[in-house]
Amino acid sequence: MLNKHMTIEDYVNTIRMDHTEDEVVHMTRLFCMDSTSDYVKRTGMEFLYMNGFFQELDMLLLQNKQSVNPINRKWAYLYELFVLRKQGAKPKHELLEKVHQMKTNIAELNCLVGFMKIYLYYDLNEFEKLGDYLDHQSELISEIEDSFLTSLFFVRLNETLFTYYWKRNELILARKYAFQVLTYPYCQERKANIHMHLGLSYLYENYLQCIYHLEEAKRIATLYNKTTLIKAIEQQNYPFISAHFGVVDGVTTTDPSEQAHLAIARGDMEEAKRILKSISLESPFRKYYLGLAEQDKGILLRAYNDFIVKRSDYFFSRLPLLAINNSRFKNDA
């Protein structure tokens, strides 16, 4: 019989020996929803968030917002900001202002505030500030006593460090943090996301390695019915990698950008140009595709500049440079 003082960690420890990893995740999801403990109600939001159980998170959020416990209400306020950011429902600057106004001496809340600032500075491409907060975040996590919550926060941190170093094109460091996320058993949506992005990180090295990680991402996403993630893998990432490596037989997509990319890989430059001229070229990827289709060095250089200046993305900025180095251009002397 489970008692009302049982934490999430206690519960996981009672069931993990007799159940698979996926069973433990689903059983713990129910435990978070059913517990009457204020502590589980607030820490359960982290477990639900990290596993992508957003419907259940909304329900627990509402319970915490209505709690008589002021600490639970503060947690709820922060997770509401996380959800708003994920949904793109509020301007990033507005969310940043709200999170900067939060003052607390509770270690867990300080840590969550730090993560929210990191995510928002990443969204706003303010990478200098992002680096400062990343350096400080592990110190904040070390102040937390709950080891299960600490583990979840370290998954968040390692995931963020992977993205940070991947975009800086520091791939050995990036993959080190990615594989640390993959070794943790109870963050399935995060593992699917990491596999998807790890696949992209092998773009300049190995087609089969790219595909292996995409298939792992899709396997987990399918198991947990993550339709948005499945769509991103099938309609964007898989066609993108296939076109990049020229392995395009039977590959289709509903995404116009990647339709153009596939057309380029098949040598149909006119079809690629027709598609690209019908959509916005704000994305540096689309500019890169247009540069390929037009065989125009100037457009490729603008794509490179956009990757660096607008996104601080030194990994994907290599794409237009590779194209410039590997091709002859109509506007070359």
Side-chain angles (χ1 to χ4, degrees):
M1 177 65 70
L2 305 180
N3 66 64
K4 65 180 182 180
H5 301 296
M6 183 175 275
T7 65
I8 298 174
E9 183 172 27
D10 295 333
Y11 179 73
V12 168
N13 287 337
T14 64
I15 64 172
R16 63 187 176 87
M17 299 303 292
D18 300 317
H19 297 277
T20 67
E21 185 177 305
D22 293 316
E23 287 171 341
V24 169
V25 169
H26 282 294
M27 292 170 72
T28 305
R29 169 177 62 94
L30 295 174
F31 171 74
C32 291
M33 300 304 296
D34 293 340
S35 175
T36 58
S37 159
D38 278 356
Y39 186 73
V40 171
K41 281 182 184 296
R42 57 182 184 258
T43 55
M45 289 191 292
E46 178 68 6
F47 179 82
L48 297 174
Y49 181 86
M50 292 297 283
N51 280 283
F53 295 131
F54 293 110
Q55 186 175 350
E56 291 86 347
L57 176 60
D58 285 343
M59 294 164 64
L60 207 53
L61 246 173
L62 184 59
Q63 290 181 35
N64 282 299
K65 282 173 75 172
Q66 296 172 345
S67 174
V68 295
N69 188 327
I71 296 175
N72 284 54
R73 294 198 300 272
K74 282 185 178 179
W75 280 63
Y77 178 76
L78 256 177
Y79 279 94
E80 193 166 38
L81 296 184
F82 281 120
V83 171
L84 288 170
R85 173 200 169 256
K86 200 169 185 68
Q87 294 173 339
K90 290 274 187 184
K92 301 297 187 288
H93 286 289
E94 186 178 322
L95 291 175
L96 193 59
E97 188 177 332
K98 286 179 182 294
V99 82
H100 272 301
Q101 289 170 357
M102 282 204 69
K103 305 298 178 190
T104 178
N105 57 3
I106 299 170
E108 294 88 344
L109 286 177
N110 266 327
C111 199
L112 287 167
V113 165
F115 278 121
M116 190 64 188
K117 289 176 181 176
I118 286 167
Y119 296 161
L120 290 168
Y121 283 128
Y122 178 82
D123 293 340
L124 295 165
N125 292 323
E126 295 188 27
F127 284 90
E128 288 181 12
K129 292 178 182 176
L130 174 64
D132 292 340
Y133 280 102
L134 281 170
D135 289 341
H136 187 47
Q137 199 66 7
S138 63
E139 296 173 24
L140 293 176
I141 296 173
S142 67
E143 296 173 10
I144 297 167
E145 294 180 5
D146 183 328
S147 59
F148 189 77
L149 194 59
T150 297
S151 298
L152 292 172
F153 283 164
F154 269 119
V155 170
R156 274 193 192 249
L157 181 59
N158 287 330
E159 180 187 41
T160 308
L161 287 166
F162 160 69
T163 303
Y164 180 72
Y165 286 109
W166 173 35
K167 297 302 183 181
R168 288 164 63 99
N169 202 37
E170 297 181 42
L171 296 178
I172 293 173
L173 257 180
R175 288 173 188 154
K176 182 188 86 168
Y177 291 114
F179 287 115
Q180 286 181 18
V181 173
L182 295 180
T183 60
Y184 185 75
Y186 308 123
C187 282
Q188 302 302 78
E189 188 187 50
R190 298 298 168 152
K191 287 165 83 164
N193 271 301
I194 284 288
H195 272 301
M196 183 174 73
H197 292 130
L198 259 179
L200 292 169
S201 83
Y202 287 95
L203 195 64
Y204 308 113
E205 298 167 58
N206 189 296
Y207 169 75
L208 292 178
Q209 195 79 315
C210 291
I211 296 302
Y212 164 75
H213 284 292
L214 281 196
E215 287 176 346
E216 278 298 290
K218 186 177 175 182
R219 180 186 66 79
I220 298 169
T222 302
L223 193 62
Y224 286 82
N225 195 31
K226 301 298 177 188
T227 53
T228 303
L229 192 55
I230 293 167
K231 183 179 178 183
I233 294 164
E234 291 181 341
Q235 302 302 325
Q236 295 171 327
N237 292 279
Y238 180 70
F240 171 75
I241 287 168
S242 300
H244 176 77
F245 283 97
V247 185
V248 295
D249 284 353
V251 180
T252 61
T253 178
T254 58
D255 183 281
S257 297
E258 293 313 316
Q259 287 173 350
H261 196 192
L262 287 167
I264 292 163
R266 294 184 176 114
D268 191 346
M269 301 304 179
E270 292 308 312
E271 172 65 5
K273 285 186 266 189
R274 183 191 67 77
I275 295 169
L276 291 166
K277 284 173 182 175
S278 69
I279 58 178
S280 165
L281 293 178
E282 283 301 302
S283 158
F285 285 100
R286 291 177 178 179
K287 275 188 189 153
Y288 161 62
Y289 299 158
L290 186 63
L292 290 178
E294 296 280 5
Q295 283 291 283
D296 190 310
K297 185 176 180 180
I299 297 173
L300 288 169
L301 285 172
R302 288 197 291 277
Y304 169 78
N305 190 61
D306 281 0
F307 275 119
I308 297 296
V309 175
K310 294 182 179 179
R311 298 194 178 189
S312 293
D313 192 331
Y314 293 85
F315 179 80
F316 284 117
S317 73
R318 293 167 64 182
L319 287 170
L321 292 186
L322 277 174
I324 289 167
N325 290 334
N326 294 338
S327 303
R328 294 174 63 89
F329 295 98
K330 65 186 182 185
N331 55 352
D332 277 349

